[in-house]
Amino acid sequence: MRKILMGFIASLCLMGCESIEYVVEENVTGLNVKVTFDPNQQLDQLQVSGQTVNGNPAFEPALLPDPAEEIKGTEQTFTLLFPNSMGDSPLRITIIGYSNGEPVAAGFAETVLKSEQLVDVTVGLNAETLCVSGTEGTELVVGTDLDADGVCDL
């Protein structure tokens, strides 16, 4: 009886597996983003933002994951999708890594979107690129110091 029951359960599992359907959307405009970092930074959240060449936001900044939880390993990947009308637009992707609510690393990459294609981009996070400024009573500014002049370029 036990063998028959196990065979029945296995058959049900296989039947369920055969009904899984994968849908791949083609002809999308976007970025396959790979973020690399030092595991000693103990990251638990990434703030992702993007700017067009004229400095306007390309999308609403996002926190990944939300809520924060330990990010394991040395890299994470995700995909950002954009309207096809943004194809051939230059973008700067900025990522700030947080540990326990404090910014500890930052990085950026510049790329050009390709209409109806996913473009690969890698952003390396490090403490040297991180810029945090502000004094008591003023708003804290967290960003990247792209030109190493000591001023946050956001």
Side-chain angles (χ1 to χ4, degrees):
M1 180 70 171
R2 181 177 246 169
K3 287 182 182 180
I4 294 172
L5 183 59
M6 293 301 279
F8 180 72
I9 292 172
S11 296
L12 284 177
C13 289
L14 290 175
M15 285 176 24
C17 292
E18 289 177 18
S19 66
I20 294 174
E21 190 175 321
Y22 294 96
V23 177
V24 177
E25 193 170 342
E26 296 180 2
N27 303 322
V28 294
T29 301
L31 298 174
N32 284 324
V33 182
K34 179 167 78 171
V35 183
T36 60
F37 50 87
D38 182 341
N40 293 327
Q41 293 169 331
Q42 300 177 331
L43 299 179
D44 57 19
Q45 202 163 40
L46 303 174
Q47 179 186 17
V48 182
S49 61
Q51 300 81 32
T52 61
V53 72
N54 59 8
N56 292 327
F59 55 89
E60 289 293 318
L63 291 171
L64 304 171
D66 190 16
E69 64 180 67
E70 179 186 2
I71 300 174
K72 297 178 181 177
T74 60
E75 66 181 50
Q76 291 290 308
T77 59
F78 55 89
T79 299
L80 298 171
L81 298 179
F82 296 89
N84 288 340
S85 61
M86 287 188 68
D88 301 320
S89 298
L91 289 180
R92 180 175 71 206
I93 301 300
T94 303
I95 301 178
I96 299 171
Y98 287 83
S99 179
N100 295 316
E102 296 294 322
V104 295
F108 67 95
E110 294 179 344
T111 190
V112 176
L113 288 174
K114 300 291 182 194
S115 185
E116 298 185 359
Q117 294 180 29
L118 290 175
V119 176
D120 294 330
V121 62
T122 299
V123 178
L125 302 185
N126 62 67
E128 292 77 32
T129 310
L130 178 67
C131 179
V132 180
S133 66
T135 58
E136 194 173 318
T138 65
E139 186 176 336
L140 184 67
V141 176
V142 179
T144 54
D145 183 8
L146 305 179
D147 51 12
D149 64 357
V151 177
C152 291
D153 300 312
L154 301 179

